[in-house]
Amino acid sequence: MKFLITSALITLLVVTNNCLIFGSTFNEKDEPVSKVEKLDWAPDLYQFENFYLSGQPDVETLKWFKEQGVDLVINLRSEREMEKFASSDFDENSFLKEMDLTLISIPIDGYDSFTPENLQKFADALNSNHNKVLIHCASCGRVSYFMMAYLKKYKDYSLEEAIKFGQQLKFKFPIEYLLGEELTWNDK
């Protein structure tokens, strides 16, 4: 599954940017374009501007998000994943309705789900009128990919800037794990 997700991101970024060059280095003076804060009290939880980026939240975490002013939840987990989760843990859809939180589900299940149409749905959701937004999947991996592509396509980030953003979350290509080192990128 991780390979499929990673392959989809590569395809999406290449198609979006039309140019991907390996082996160049970052400019040493460059700082991350957007600072992401890791929140340590829950696994796979980050904050960026008015967005919370997360793996699957539990009931207590969803209550905490509500207290923080979150009024929109974007769920990138597949329908199959959510059915299985609901049968063993809790029904997130019903719980969010009880908490009066808006839910937008964009089911991402494998390579075929990483499409420009789903990125457009994601962008439309982010550009809707909400105070704070929780975006989640199972472990924040899909969230990382969609945020990177969103920043690249809709917020004029360069590929390099989007990758720097993603590296603050959970973005890494499998080749980096195999080599035991991060690769450097340049989209110029």
Side-chain angles (χ1 to χ4, degrees):
M1 179 72 171
K2 284 185 180 180
F3 176 75
L4 291 175
I5 292 170
T6 302
S7 296
L9 177 64
I10 291 170
T11 302
L12 183 60
L13 290 175
V14 169
V15 168
T16 301
N17 193 55
N18 226 4
C19 178
L20 180 61
I21 303 169
F22 292 86
S24 300
T25 58
F26 287 125
N27 182 335
E28 296 299 323
K29 66 182 176 164
D30 286 350
E31 295 294 320
V33 171
S34 301
K35 180 70 175 136
V36 175
E37 181 182 356
K38 171 77 170 110
L39 303 177
D40 292 326
W41 64 269
D44 301 321
L45 177 58
Y46 306 87
Q47 184 172 7
F48 164 65
E49 296 175 354
N50 65 326
F51 304 114
Y52 290 97
L53 314 169
S54 174
Q56 176 63 53
D58 60 19
V59 168
E60 292 306 312
T61 305
L62 287 170
K63 289 178 183 176
W64 182 84
F65 285 128
K66 175 77 174 179
E67 291 170 3
Q68 303 311 304
V70 167
D71 56 353
L72 172 64
V73 176
I74 301 172
N75 182 351
L76 299 179
R77 294 188 76 182
S78 72
E79 292 173 8
R80 182 183 41 166
E81 284 178 287
M82 291 312 295
E83 287 171 11
K84 184 176 178 183
F85 180 77
S87 68
S88 64
D89 289 288
F90 66 96
D91 183 351
E92 181 177 324
N93 295 347
S94 297
F95 188 75
L96 292 175
K97 282 181 187 174
E98 289 174 21
M99 292 181 54
D100 196 30
L101 292 173
T102 301
L103 171 66
I104 296 177
S105 180
I106 305 171
I108 305 302
D109 189 15
Y111 181 77
D112 292 341
S113 301
F114 284 81
T115 64
E117 293 79 19
N118 278 337
L119 181 60
Q120 181 65 56
K121 289 177 190 175
F122 184 77
D124 291 345
L126 292 184
N127 294 329
S128 61
N129 189 20
H130 291 279
N131 294 322
K132 293 185 179 180
V133 179
L134 163 62
I135 308 163
H136 83 82
C137 57
S139 67
C140 202
R142 286 168 274 192
V143 172
S144 300
Y145 301 137
F146 269 76
M147 283 299 297
M148 290 169 60
Y150 168 77
L151 293 172
K152 169 75 175 92
K153 185 167 184 176
Y154 297 98
K155 296 298 181 184
D156 296 323
Y157 278 48
S158 68
L159 179 59
E160 181 179 10
E161 292 166 335
I163 289 171
K164 283 183 179 183
F165 174 87
Q167 288 172 331
Q168 295 176 79
L169 301 170
K170 296 195 76 170
F171 174 71
K172 220 171 184 111
F173 281 116
I175 192 170
E176 292 176 295
Y177 291 113
L178 294 168
L179 296 173
E181 62 184 73
E182 287 186 13
L183 299 178
T184 55
W185 306 80
N186 187 335
D187 68 336
K188 298 179 176 42

